[in-house]
Amino acid sequence: MMMGYSLFGLVVLAIDIWGIVNVLRSGASTGAKALWVLLIIFLPLVGLILWFLTGPRSARAVA
């Protein structure tokens, strides 16, 4: 049972790191980037889901 929680934690950590890298690469302002990164750090699942749904989109996604 403990192995399942550890694996879930590692998956969430990997996805959060990916999300933070995407936030830092985005075209958002520095203040917005800082807020998104803090949100992802303090609320890993919720922050990442919110970033995915409401975060700034890249030019490729719009076209």
Side-chain angles (χ1 to χ4, degrees), residues 56-63:
R57 301 282 180 228
S58 68
R60 289 180 295 170
V62 174

Side-chain angles (χ1 to χ4, degrees), residues 12-41:
V12 170
L13 177 64
I15 293 171
D16 283 343
I17 291 171
W18 173 81
I20 290 170
V21 168
N22 281 330
V23 167
L24 296 175
R25 288 183 176 176
S26 74
S29 68
T30 304
K33 287 180 185 181
L35 289 175
W36 279 114
V37 168
L38 288 174
L39 187 65
I40 291 173
I41 289 172

